[in-house]
Amino acid sequence: MRIGELARKTGVSVRSLRYYEQQDLLEPQRTSAGHRFYSIQDERLVLQIQDLFEAGFCSSVIRTLLPALVNPLRNRDLLRASLTAAQARLKSEKESVETELLKLKRLGDRYGLAPDTHVTLQNDGHDSFTAAQAIAFDHRNRRLR
């Protein structure tokens, strides 16, 4: 199948498929004219790659895991170690985020800010209410409660 068909079947963009090829995750066959040609096995491989990306793995780790996925029972130790390492990394990141949130809460408490205080960002950030708009919005919502 051609790259567009593989993209449709897997729900992965053509651009992503080319990226997978650049990262040595996917190696399509080539026609005599140089066009990429994919097999049913490539379709399964793309779905595995997607699963690994969604689980938080980067392309270099995925590259090492893909051969192990050919026979997951025989490569159970490698897969278990990789999953354990990924879980440890995510737990550490979660702890860092929770620590930062706690520090922000303490900072807000120190300055007497209520948890639902509206913050106005400069340069029309995603939260571009003016103070007057925020007060009016808060007033309307209190009436609706």
Side-chain angles (χ1 to χ4, degrees):
M1 76 188 87
R2 306 268 309 243
I3 194 167
E5 184 180 354
L6 180 62
R8 279 188 300 281
K9 284 186 170 188
T10 60
V12 175
S13 70
V14 169
R15 183 177 180 187
S16 291
L17 293 172
R18 289 185 181 130
Y19 173 78
Y20 297 170
E21 185 179 352
Q22 289 172 344
Q23 297 299 308
D24 295 323
L25 303 176
L26 184 62
E27 190 175 337
Q29 298 174 5
R30 296 280 182 164
T31 66
S32 58
H35 297 284
R36 292 171 180 87
F37 185 79
Y38 298 91
S39 66
I40 297 296
Q41 290 81 10
D42 291 325
E43 184 179 343
R44 287 188 211 115
L45 181 60
V46 167
L47 296 174
Q48 287 178 318
I49 292 168
Q50 280 298 108
D51 285 344
L52 293 168
F53 272 125
E54 288 174 8
F57 290 103
C58 65
S59 59
S60 62
V61 173
I62 291 173
R63 190 178 315 108
T64 64
L65 289 177
L66 286 176
L69 292 176
V70 172
N71 189 341
L73 294 176
R74 187 172 47 151
N75 297 298
R76 180 175 282 172
D77 291 339
L78 171 64
L79 295 172
R80 181 178 289 124
S82 296
L83 292 175
T84 300
Q87 288 171 337
R89 177 183 52 81
L90 290 172
K91 286 178 183 176
S92 174
E93 289 176 14
K94 179 181 175 187
E95 289 170 6
S96 293
V97 168
E98 288 173 347
T99 298
E100 287 184 45
L101 287 170
L102 182 60
K103 288 178 182 178
L104 286 171
K105 182 186 179 317
R106 287 181 184 154
L107 185 65
D109 291 347
R110 183 183 314 149
Y111 292 106
L113 302 174
D116 62 347
T117 298
H118 192 81
V119 177
T120 302
L121 299 179
Q122 295 180 355
N123 300 327
D124 290 330
H126 77 280
D127 196 5
S128 60
F129 271 168
T130 64
Q133 289 171 318
I135 291 168
F137 179 80
D138 188 47
H139 182 69
R140 281 194 307 271
N141 283 340
R142 284 190 181 147
R143 278 189 297 172
L144 295 174
R145 290 181 194 168

